């Protein structure tokens, strides 16, 4: 990153199965207005708008973001990178600021999947309609393949997945915006129906609707606003075919090479040398608890083979970062917006504005995005210190 | 920070049964990288423009991005017009996020229904039952335009002929296959785009080359047709004003303009919006001004969301003197525009010059 900029406004709708009372435009406007209010700005201060919406088929309306153009006359572009749509949109908005073409950008992500009666079938259309049709590949079995590989290669247990999920649900009890408010124990989670071994229902994310917005301001526009400085941002794409990622020397399917490469670049920009010490909060895009574990080594928190031990250490070593204080995607997963929600929650933590879910003394937070066939990864580092 | 063009490639085809979409994309991106003279390890960014509902699968960039060179690179996909992706790639380079970027866009009309795609852009409860599609706006504009005085009808006939002739001479235009949508009154077949399969790719860099981007501008319109002016394209005027101000050149001074429009009517209004023709004389410009869409515009092949990048590519070829039989003499400056759904709701204008 060559330019200094910060998140100075955050706006979110609540997240739930369906916002039946709101149109898509209503949801976009609600999130945007809250973000602008938080920033103490109105739309006239915004120079560029980036929208994030993933599969059109979920909304039942092609180009649904166009119904809600906010500030006509301004540059307005739409990003669609699946699960990382929200963070990609934020990064695109940051590029407009970094280029000097915008002093302030407004980035908004919308998920409207409550309109789809068959969202899982829509998600299944992300796979090849000819060659992968005979193989029951879905977003859930795709995650189950990785979870079982993590268990075989690194020794994770079903109990590990349940404990991660239970912690996320407990955290979500403090987040009034979360979709799921249930105090679920590891036993409750292990007792929930099996979706695809080893994934139980309560280890999986819900289907949520909602919108999230950020105001990103260049240094000259930050003024006396409370900033979460963008210290590092990086994005990496990987191969599609999972078979191509099993045996390659750079990293296997569960080594999350794309996340590791993104973390290396974002950490270098942010000056992070020891993830365990330099980071206070981590908001992970982990729609399954096993996906959270898969991210630990890629983000530098432990060696891959020490992953199971790291799960347990989180419950006893209070010096470790706090993971998903918002509850993470298991408590709300508005897919198009989820990666932006991670940045929003990280920004709120850095700004000391996270309410009951605030972690004390946060100086730096990391937000991740994960999308496609676990092939698109983003890492965003935010902190209280202005970058050099 | 100036942005330069290092490589460009495009292909317009129809229902090529020998290659799937990924192979079409790979071939064009490969050709643009070869044209740039760069190796893939010198390229650190990939910016794409593609629509899931055109590509025929949700999150299509899962399979198309690797074909466009995204493997282990910083990649982003816009579900927007290719010119918007070009503009976004510029911001990434200008911000110092990347040093060299592929920008690619495509659309394969032979494997999707463009009319169904267009109808699905409208609200399923309030407007879709009216049978709206994007051509309705073009038809309303045509009614207004063709009923005006000043020889517009005669100019329209000449513009249709000139556009068809230009596409016939353009070696990159679709020569066989393709199809047109049924025109809404008073649009005629000659006004309609020729649906085709299009892939476009280029390599952008911060290192000087013979072609420099001198201006970029973007703008947007409200969603509802009733909230937009009919007789002009306000967002395109705004985008052009911004791009031309940055370039320090008036639209009238451009040696060539490749203006994107869904129909010939939209191209005529577009010509006025970018300043190549005075207000009310866009159709005359399309009929008689050799600088206006020498590629043949929408008659050479059309598929969203590739069109803005295709227009930029044709402008670059003019600046390089590589446009073939449609090459104009002495082209030093060029302007290209790209429009998005819904009916040109967002617009991007790029101004280029030969060093």
């Amino acid at each position: 990153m060559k330019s200094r900029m910060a998140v100075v406004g955050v706006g979110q709708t609540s997240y739930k199965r369906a916002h039946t009372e709101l149109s898509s435009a209503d949801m976009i406007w609600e999130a945007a207005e809250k973000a602008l209010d938080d920033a103490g700005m109105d739309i006239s201060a915004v120079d560029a708008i980036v929208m994030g919406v993933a599969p059109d088929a979920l909304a039942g309306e092609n180009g649904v973001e166009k119904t809600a153009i906010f500030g006509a006359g301004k540059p307005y572009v739409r990003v669609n990178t699946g699960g990382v749509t929200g963070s990609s949109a934020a990064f695109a908005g940051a590029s407009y600021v970094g280029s000097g073409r915008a002093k302030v950008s407004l980035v908004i992500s919308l998920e409207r999947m409550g309109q789809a009666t068959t969202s899982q079938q829509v998600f299944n259309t992300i796979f090849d309609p000819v060659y992968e049709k005979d193989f029951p590949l879905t977003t859930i079995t795709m995650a189950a393949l990785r979870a079982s590989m993590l268990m075989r290669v690194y020794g994770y247990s079903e109990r590990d997945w349940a404990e991660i999920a239970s912690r996320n649900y407990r955290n979500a009890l403090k987040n009034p915006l979360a979709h799921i408010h249930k105090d679920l124990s590891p036993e409750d989670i292990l007792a929930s129906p099996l979706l695809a071994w080893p994934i139980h229902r309560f280890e999986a994310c819900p289907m949520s609707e909602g919108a999230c917005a950020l105001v990103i301001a260049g240094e000259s526009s930050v003024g006396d606003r409370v900033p979460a400085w963008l210290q590092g941002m990086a994005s990496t794409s990987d191969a599609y075919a999972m078979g191509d990622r099993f045996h390659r020397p750079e990293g296997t399917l569960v080594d999350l090479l794309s996340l590791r490469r993104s973390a290396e670049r974002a950490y270098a920009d942010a000056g992070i040398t020891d993830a365990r010490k330099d980071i206070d909060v981590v908001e992970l895009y982990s729609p399954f608890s096993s996906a959270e574990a898969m991210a630990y080594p890629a983000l530098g928190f432990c060696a891959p083979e020490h992953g199971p031990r790291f799960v347990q250490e989180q419950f006893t070593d209070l010096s470790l970062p706090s993971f998903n204080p918002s509850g993470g995607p298991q408590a709300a997963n508005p897919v198009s917006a989820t990666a932006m929600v991670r940045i929003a929650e990280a920004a709120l933590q850095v700004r000391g504005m996270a309410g009951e879910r605030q972690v004390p003394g946060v100086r730096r937070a990391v937000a991740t995005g994960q999308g496609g066939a676990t092939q698109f990864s983003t890492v965003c580092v935010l902190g209280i210190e202005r970058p050099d | 920070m100036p942005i330069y063009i290092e490589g460009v490639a495009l292909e317009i085809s129809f229902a090529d049964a020998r290659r799937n979409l990924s192979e079409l994309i790979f071939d064009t991106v490969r050709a643009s990288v070869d044209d740039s003279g760069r190796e893939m390890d010198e390229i650190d960014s990939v910016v794409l423009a593609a629509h899931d509902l055109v590509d025929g699968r949700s999150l299509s960039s899962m399979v198309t991005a690797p074909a466009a060179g995204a493997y282990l690179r910083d990649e982003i996909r816009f579900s927007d017009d290719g010119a918007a992706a070009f503009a976004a790639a510029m911001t990434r380079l200008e911000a110092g996020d990347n040093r060299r970027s592929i920008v690619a866009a495509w659309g394969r009309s032979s494997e999707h229904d463009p009319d169904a795609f267009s109808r699905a852009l409208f609200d399923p409860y309030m407007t879709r039952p009216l049978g709206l599609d994007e051509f309705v706006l073009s038809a309303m504009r045509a009614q207004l335009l063709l009923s005006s005085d000043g020889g517009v009808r005669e100019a329209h006939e000449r513009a249709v002929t000139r556009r068809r002739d230009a596409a016939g001479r353009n070696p990159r235009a679709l020569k066989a296959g393709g199809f047109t949508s049924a025109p809404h009154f008073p649009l005629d077949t000659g006004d309609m785009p020729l649906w085709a399969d299009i892939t476009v790719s280029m390599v952008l860099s911060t290192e000087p080359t013979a072609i420099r981007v001198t201006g970029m501008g973007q703008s947007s319109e409200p969603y509802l047709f009733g909230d937009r002016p009919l007789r002009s394209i306000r967002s395109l005027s705004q985008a052009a004003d911004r791009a031309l101000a940055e370039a320090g050149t008036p639209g009238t001074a451009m040696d060539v303009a490749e203006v994107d429009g869904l129909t010939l009517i939209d191209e005529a209004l577009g010509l006025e919006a970018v300043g190549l023709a005075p207000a009310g004389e866009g159709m005359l410009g399309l009929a008689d001004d050799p600088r206006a869409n020498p590629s043949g515009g929408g008659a050479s092949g059309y598929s969203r969301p590739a069109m803005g990048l295709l227009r930029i590519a044709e402008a670059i070829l003019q600046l390089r003197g590589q446009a073939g039989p449609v090459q104009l003499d002495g082209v030093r400056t060029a302007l290209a525009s790209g429009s998005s759904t819904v009916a040109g709701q967002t617009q991007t204008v790029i101004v280029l010059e030969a060093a």
Side-chain angles (χ1 to χ4, degrees):
Chain A
M1 291 179 60
K2 309 296 182 199
S3 304
R4 296 186 187 116
M5 64 189 86
V7 175
V8 296
V10 172
Q12 301 182 72
T13 65
S14 62
Y15 302 105
K16 57 185 183 180
R17 179 68 183 85
H19 282 274
T20 54
E21 76 286 9
L22 298 177
S23 69
S24 301
D26 290 336
M27 291 165 67
I28 289 169
W29 290 335
E30 179 182 331
E33 285 173 348
K34 285 179 174 173
L36 289 168
D37 286 348
D38 182 23
M41 295 179 180
D42 62 32
I43 192 65
S44 65
V46 173
D47 304 305
I49 299 170
V50 181
M51 280 295 312
V53 181
D56 294 275
L58 285 173
E61 188 174 359
N62 186 6
V64 69
E65 79 287 350
K66 294 288 200 313
T67 64
I69 274 196
F70 196 91
K74 299 177 189 295
Y76 187 99
V77 294
R78 174 194 168 184
V79 169
N80 174 2
T81 50
V84 291
T85 295
S87 48
S88 296
F91 290 8
S95 292
Y96 272 86
V97 174
S99 71
R101 291 182 178 276
K103 290 181 178 175
V104 174
S105 66
L106 173 64
V107 298
I108 313 163
S109 268
L110 168 74
E111 182 50 69
R112 200 55 172 147
M113 68 165 67
Q115 308 305 299
T117 55
T118 56
S119 56
Q120 209 39 248
Q121 287 184 20
V122 172
F123 280 126
N124 291 347
T125 66
I126 68 175
F127 299 105
D128 189 286
V130 178
Y131 296 106
E132 289 161 354
K133 210 171 191 174
D134 292 338
F135 184 74
L137 196 56
T138 68
T139 49
I140 295 169
T141 56
M142 183 178 77
L145 278 171
R146 287 170 171 79
S148 59
M149 191 171 171
L150 285 166
M151 293 168 76
R152 182 179 64 80
V153 176
Y154 297 126
Y156 286 96
S157 66
E158 289 182 73
R159 178 84 190 176
D160 290 325
W161 310 145
E163 290 191 356
I164 292 170
S166 175
R167 182 254 287 148
N168 285 333
Y169 288 120
R170 282 200 311 276
N171 287 349
L173 294 173
K174 297 179 180 177
N175 180 0
L177 300 174
H179 178 175
I180 306 294
H181 289 112
K182 289 179 180 173
D183 190 0
L184 296 170
S185 68
E187 289 72 26
D188 294 331
I189 288 159
L190 287 168
S192 64
L194 204 57
L195 296 179
W197 189 87
I199 295 176
H200 293 79
R201 180 180 169 191
F202 289 136
E203 289 155 14
C205 57
M207 294 182 287
S208 316
E209 279 196 351
C212 179
L214 305 173
V215 177
I216 298 173
E219 183 179 20
S220 63
S221 299
V222 170
D224 58 1
R225 297 175 177 87
V226 182
W229 292 100
L230 289 164
Q231 298 179 338
M233 293 182 289
S235 172
T236 308
S237 290
D238 204 342
Y240 166 64
M242 286 184 273
D244 288 343
R245 290 182 269 168
F246 274 116
H247 303 296
R248 65 178 170 183
E250 297 95 331
T252 72
L253 187 64
V254 294
D255 288 334
L256 263 185
L257 181 60
S258 53
L259 187 65
R260 194 173 77 209
R261 294 257 176 118
S262 293
E264 287 168 356
R265 285 166 35 220
Y267 287 5
D269 281 349
I272 294 173
T273 54
D274 184 339
R276 291 169 73 115
K277 293 178 180 170
D278 295 342
I279 298 166
D280 303 307
V281 163
V282 186
E283 279 286 343
L284 287 165
Y285 194 137
S286 47
F288 301 90
S289 50
S290 49
E292 177 174 325
M294 192 160 57
Y296 295 152
L299 293 171
F301 295 115
C302 62
E305 62 272 22
H306 296 151
R309 191 170 79 198
F310 185 72
V311 174
Q312 300 308 316
E313 285 175 347
Q314 290 176 50
F315 296 100
T316 55
D317 186 348
L318 298 181
S319 71
L320 289 173
S322 176
F323 285 85
N324 285 347
S326 69
Q330 282 176 265
N333 191 30
V335 175
S336 302
T338 300
M340 189 179 290
V341 175
R342 306 277 70 76
I343 297 174
E345 288 290 335
L348 289 173
Q349 289 286 346
V350 167
R351 299 166 77 208
M353 299 167 69
E356 198 184 346
R357 59 192 182 283
Q358 178 70 47
V359 175
V362 176
R363 297 183 60 80
R364 184 183 272 141
V366 165
T368 70
Q370 202 65 53
T374 321
Q375 69 187 107
F376 306 136
S377 300
T378 59
V379 172
C380 182
V381 183
L382 303 100
I384 63 169
E385 291 181 11
R386 192 178 59 179
D388 295 334
Chain B
M1 176 186 291
I3 304 299
Y4 299 88
I5 310 297
E6 290 190 340
V8 63
L10 68 93
E11 181 178 354
I12 304 180
S13 61
F14 191 77
D16 182 350
R18 299 166 301 167
R19 293 177 292 169
N20 64 26
L21 178 60
S22 294
E23 290 165 328
L24 285 173
I25 294 164
F26 178 84
D27 286 349
T28 302
V29 172
R30 178 76 260 175
S32 72
V33 174
D34 288 346
D35 185 51
S36 75
R38 297 290 180 179
E39 299 294 331
M40 281 303 290
D41 62 9
E42 296 178 276
I43 295 169
D44 59 354
S45 164
V46 175
V47 179
L48 307 174
H51 274 298
D52 286 353
L53 296 184
V54 171
D55 291 349
R57 61 192 286 174
S58 293
L59 189 46
S60 60
S61 58
M62 286 169 58
V63 287
T64 55
Y71 180 65
L72 297 183
R73 288 188 175 78
D74 181 356
E75 174 262 329
I76 187 168
R77 190 268 293 257
F78 291 83
S79 280
D80 217 312
D81 177 65
F86 183 100
M90 283 180 63
T91 67
R92 286 156 63 99
L93 294 168
E94 290 167 340
D97 299 339
N98 307 114
R99 58 194 166 96
R100 185 169 287 109
S101 184
I102 289 170
V103 184
W106 56 83
R108 202 172 194 191
S109 297
S110 68
E111 291 198 356
H112 82 286
D113 179 343
D115 293 332
F117 176 89
S118 183
R119 287 192 297 273
L121 289 161
F122 294 88
D123 178 276
Y125 303 107
M126 305 301 289
T127 50
R128 207 178 297 172
L130 297 172
L132 287 188
D133 61 28
E134 293 175 288
F135 287 121
V136 168
L137 182 61
S138 303
M140 290 194 291
R141 285 172 169 162
Q143 286 195 22
L144 201 61
L145 206 63
L146 299 178
S147 62
S148 57
D149 299 328
V152 174
R153 279 196 173 275
E154 294 74 16
H156 176 247
E157 288 178 19
R158 292 202 307 279
V160 169
T161 303
R162 177 176 169 259
R163 187 167 91 138
R164 190 182 298 132
D165 290 349
R169 286 185 292 115
N170 182 351
R172 295 166 297 282
L174 186 66
K175 300 301 183 208
F179 62 98
T180 55
S181 301
H184 300 324
F185 179 82
L187 295 171
D188 198 13
T189 306
D191 296 316
M192 304 300 279
L194 177 62
W195 297 117
D197 299 344
I198 297 173
T199 50
V200 193
S201 177
M202 49 191 73
V203 178
L204 273 58
S205 170
T206 53
E207 292 186 26
T209 71
I211 308 295
R212 185 165 76 100
V213 184
T214 55
M216 182 268 272
Q218 295 180 281
S219 188
S220 52
E221 297 270 5
Y223 171 63
L224 296 174
F225 290 172
D227 289 339
R228 305 190 209 176
L230 266 187
R231 187 57 189 78
S232 61
I233 307 175
R234 183 171 47 202
S235 54
L236 182 54
S237 297
Q238 291 169 336
D241 288 348
R242 290 164 187 166
L244 291 164
E246 190 174 306
T249 317
T252 50
M254 288 291 115
D255 294 328
V256 67
E258 284 284 345
V259 177
D260 175 38
L262 183 59
T263 67
L264 184 135
I265 304 297
D266 302 296
E267 288 179 1
L269 292 179
L271 218 56
E272 297 173 21
V274 303
L276 204 72
E281 296 183 19
M283 194 60 78
L284 285 168
L286 274 187
D288 304 324
D289 189 339
R291 300 175 301 163
N293 284 4
S295 68
S300 65
Y302 207 92
S303 189
R304 285 191 165 145
M307 296 318 299
L309 204 62
L310 180 65
R311 298 272 79 84
I312 297 170
E314 286 287 351
I316 292 167
L317 293 175
Q318 287 284 347
L319 288 163
R320 283 176 160 190
Q322 296 175 343
V326 294
Q327 178 69 47
L328 304 176
D329 292 334
V331 176
R332 308 292 303 167
T333 57
L335 176 150
S337 77
S339 63
S340 79
T341 59
V342 176
Q345 203 175 345
T346 66
Q347 301 276 355
T348 300
V349 172
I350 303 295
V351 181
L352 305 126
E353 81 176 10

